[in-house]
């Protein structure tokens, strides 16, 4: 039997047998009939299904992180540091200003967008670092 390599399907070989007129095709998408000789390959112990060791609760949410993160952001953002006003105060004040002309939305030049993006960016950073720090401490990474 002579085997010729033909380009296609990821470079899989096209084996043509001289004795039969039917070519034996193989693809990388199908399992081979021959057992793999690679000792590092995972055994099919679960009835032909590969098992995954991915942790299902990957987010590992904790209400302590949400509570402390919110308090940890509200406290510094409520300090009057911007012309005697706080970031939280400016954000909530801009919400009230924009609601005054409801149902028309805020204009692109409105200060509302600056305060909203800044306030939420700080909140999400605080929550993210809180999650990293809290879970890192409980799982003894540091």
């Amino acid at each position: 039997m002579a085997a010729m390599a033909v380009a296609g399907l990821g470079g899989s070989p096209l084996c043509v047998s001289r004795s039969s007129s039917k070519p034996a095709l193989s693809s990388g998408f199908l399992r081979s009939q021959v057992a793999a000789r690679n000792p590092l390959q995972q055994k099919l112990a679960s009835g032909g299904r590969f098992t995954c060791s991915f942790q299902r609760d990957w987010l590992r949410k904790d209400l302590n992180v949400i509570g402390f993160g919110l308090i940890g952001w509200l406290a510094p953002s409520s300090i009057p540091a911007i012309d005697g006003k706080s970031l939280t105060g400016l954000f909530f004040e801009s919400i009230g200003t924009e609601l005054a002309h409801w149902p028309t939305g805020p204009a692109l030049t409105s200060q509302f967008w600056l305060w909203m993006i800044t306030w939420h960016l700080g909140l999400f950073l605080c929550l993210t670092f809180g999650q990293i720090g809290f879970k890192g401490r409980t799982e003894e990474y540091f």
Side-chain angles (χ1 to χ4, degrees), residues 9 15 33 35 38 50 55 86 92 95 98 104 115 121 128:
L9 289 182
C15 298
Q33 301 296 332
N38 185 354
F50 288 104
Q55 192 174 11
S86 66
F92 290 151
I95 291 173
E98 295 302 328
T104 305
W115 306 135
L121 185 66
T128 300

Side-chain angles (χ1 to χ4, degrees), residues 54-83:
F54 182 73
Q55 192 174 11
R56 290 289 172 204
D57 186 25
W58 62 270
L59 183 59
R60 293 177 284 172
K61 65 182 177 196
D62 191 355
L63 295 178
N64 289 329
V65 174
I66 295 171
F68 288 129
L70 185 62
I71 293 169
W73 174 240
L74 279 175
S77 68
S78 296
I79 297 171
I82 305 168
D83 293 331

Side-chain angles (χ1 to χ4, degrees), residues 10-87:
S12 63
L14 174 65
C15 298
V16 179
S17 172
R18 299 282 182 211
S19 62
S20 71
S21 62
K22 205 173 194 187
L25 301 174
S26 68
S27 170
F29 295 110
L30 302 173
R31 274 193 293 187
S32 70
Q33 301 296 332
V34 181
R37 293 192 175 110
N38 185 354
L40 299 176
Q41 185 177 6
Q42 183 179 11
K43 297 289 183 185
L44 298 173
S46 59
R49 292 187 211 136
F50 288 104
T51 58
C52 181
S53 62
F54 182 73
Q55 192 174 11
R56 290 289 172 204
D57 186 25
W58 62 270
L59 183 59
R60 293 177 284 172
K61 65 182 177 196
D62 191 355
L63 295 178
N64 289 329
V65 174
I66 295 171
F68 288 129
L70 185 62
I71 293 169
W73 174 240
L74 279 175
S77 68
S78 296
I79 297 171
I82 305 168
D83 293 331
K85 295 183 178 180
S86 66
L87 178 61

